[in-house]
Amino acid sequence: MESNISLSGGSKIVSLGLQHVLAMYAGAILVPLLVGRALNLTGAQLSYLVAIDLLTCGIATLLQVWKNKYLGIGLPVMLGSSFVAITPMIGIGSQYGLNAIYGAIIAAGLFVLVFAAFFGKIIRLFPPVVTGTVVTVIGLSLIPTGIRNMAGGAANPDFGSLPNFLLSFGVLALILVINRFLAGFMRSLAVLIGIITGTTVAALMGKVSFAPVAEASWFHLPQFFAFGLPEFRIAPILTMIIVCVVIIVESTGVFLALGKVCDQKLSPHDLTRGYRSEGTAIVLGGLFNAFPYNTFAQNVGLVELSRVKTRNVIAVAACILIVLGLVPKIAALATIIPLAVLGGATVVLFGMVVASGIRMMTEVDFKDQRNLMIVACSISLGVGATVVPELFSGLPSSLRIIVSDGTITGSLSAILLNLFFHVSPRFRSVDNSTVSSAKPEEMAVPAGEQV
């Protein structure tokens, strides 16, 4: 896997690594900001959450790039916190407390580690009708969060005010203008530019407090269980296991797409090593009070655009993330972003998730009535559970935490309905109309929500 251009000099490798960090930075910091604010964390806790997330992103990336007998896909991939886990983490934290989130993440990561080889063998059970539907449901389930943030956040006394309206739609307009008139690397930074510009304007309007930055230290070391010892509860663990299964399906699509870009054919054993690395990264996320991690798709596009395929560049990018994570004052800069600014950016990101899912479903044979039923029922149940979560209020709390989340409900529906319609009763063969006609790289979907 060699680069198509010469990488003479360390400064050039550092520059290329920084480019990868900038391409994924907005997506990396959004998850801790959205989850932390939804769970009413303090400014200091939020700064820690962003810092430890960046550090763990770097460690997780090194685990995936470093190929050995047991771990690592060995491709130039970047890992970051998954959008799929946002609403489940908020739901678990609201009902069971913060420590139950991390107990569930640790248990789910161990589940991925134990069953990594099994996942490598059953990926054929996730054709485009499943993966496309799952990604579409993820995007549709996240959009209400983005819209509420555009208005300033649900608990904000200025919800829907004119300044919030101007900030959020100004950020959205700037992102659209950059995508219309710029190209290449600058276009890939559209979301980050929008967030920085929006925050600057908000500061001029007096809507930004720099106190968290002033109070944050210049250096700290990560610590295990910073928010307390994890709690292991059955319902949150089952929910997070389902989340991690969805993450595995998404990451597989990224692996296959990047393997094609790098002219490297991936074997089931390669995929298994990749899954083990992601499982290890998820466990680390739980130990350090961070997040579940998966492979970022936008960095695949950057590899294809730059034609630089060497893993050295990604290793440098991972080290940059680790350094950023050790400096809380830098991480605190992300915590001062107003929710209206985040909303203007995330509505684009979440909409892109929906568009990515729809694009994946163009490979589906919709002349087959069974595929129509899978998509129709899964999207209806997923969106329904998001918009009307009280639908399941009569169920026991252990079940309600699973099915009241639209992402989980829709994803489970797609997976189970595909098994029902296309897999034989003895679960030994899959209907040829959904799998054999698909190309290898179409049998799973890139993680389109990570933009």
Side-chain angles (χ1 to χ4, degrees), residues 11 40 409:
S11 61
N40 300 314
T409 302

Side-chain angles (χ1 to χ4, degrees), residues 227-362:
F227 297 145
L229 293 176
E231 296 179 9
F232 298 93
R233 296 173 179 263
I234 296 299
I237 288 174
L238 291 176
T239 300
M240 200 56 65
I241 285 175
I242 296 170
V243 167
C244 288
V245 170
V246 175
I247 287 173
I248 286 296
V249 174
E250 292 179 289
S251 294
T252 303
V254 180
F255 294 156
L256 295 172
L258 190 54
K260 186 176 181 181
V261 170
C262 298
D263 300 317
Q264 181 173 331
K265 187 175 181 180
L266 299 178
S267 67
H269 184 58
D270 291 325
L271 294 175
T272 296
R273 289 199 313 274
Y275 300 151
R276 287 198 188 111
S277 289
E278 294 214 351
T280 304
I282 292 169
V283 172
L284 285 176
L287 294 175
F288 286 119
N289 292 155
F291 301 92
Y293 292 92
N294 73 331
T295 306
F296 270 22
Q298 67 269 37
N299 292 88
V300 177
L302 191 53
V303 169
E304 190 167 15
L305 179 68
S306 66
R307 307 308 299 169
V308 179
K309 306 172 187 176
T310 177
R311 287 177 287 170
N312 291 342
V313 169
I314 303 300
V316 168
C319 292
I320 292 173
L321 286 172
I322 291 172
V323 171
L324 291 175
L326 293 173
V327 185
K329 199 169 283 291
I330 295 177
L333 287 171
T335 69
I336 67 175
I337 302 170
L339 278 177
V341 173
L342 277 180
T346 54
V347 76
V348 177
L349 298 178
F350 299 159
M352 287 295 291
V353 181
V354 179
S356 178
I358 293 173
R359 182 181 61 191
M360 294 306 132
M361 286 192 286
T362 59

Side-chain angles (χ1 to χ4, degrees), residues 39-200:
L39 296 177
N40 300 314
L41 297 186
T42 65
Q45 289 174 321
L46 199 56
S47 296
Y48 172 82
L49 204 61
V50 174
I52 199 64
D53 178 53
L54 292 174
L55 186 144
T56 314
C57 281
I59 296 174
T61 298
L62 288 177
L63 286 172
Q64 198 63 282
V65 170
W66 176 47
K67 182 178 179 180
N68 56 70
K69 185 177 180 181
Y70 302 102
L71 297 173
I73 192 71
L75 292 170
V77 297
M78 296 287 293
L79 272 74
S81 45
S82 173
F83 278 6
V84 181
I86 291 177
T87 46
M89 288 183 69
I90 293 172
I92 294 170
S94 301
Q95 184 169 342
Y96 293 94
L98 198 61
N99 293 333
I101 295 176
Y102 298 112
I105 291 175
I106 292 171
L110 292 174
F111 175 86
V112 173
L113 274 171
V114 171
F115 291 96
F118 176 71
F119 287 133
K121 297 176 182 177
I122 66 166
I123 194 61
R124 65 190 183 93
L125 298 180
F126 300 98
V129 68
V130 172
T131 52
T133 302
V134 166
V135 172
T136 302
V137 169
I138 290 169
L140 292 173
S141 299
L142 290 170
I143 284 175
T145 299
I147 296 298
R148 283 192 292 270
N149 286 340
M150 289 184 76
N156 193 332
D158 294 331
F159 185 86
S161 66
L162 181 60
N164 288 336
F165 174 87
L166 293 175
L167 279 173
S168 58
F169 278 93
V171 171
L172 175 59
L174 178 59
I175 293 172
L176 294 175
V177 168
I178 292 173
N179 275 275
R180 170 63 179 85
F181 294 105
L182 299 182
F185 180 54
M186 292 302 295
R187 180 184 291 177
S188 73
L189 295 182
V191 171
L192 190 61
I193 293 172
I195 290 175
I196 293 173
T197 304
T199 303
T200 303

Side-chain angles (χ1 to χ4, degrees), residues 380-395 400 403-405 409:
S380 295
L381 290 172
V383 174
T386 299
V387 178
V388 191
E390 60 269 23
L391 170 66
F392 303 103
S393 58
L395 293 177
R400 190 167 62 246
V403 297
S404 61
D405 177 74
T409 302

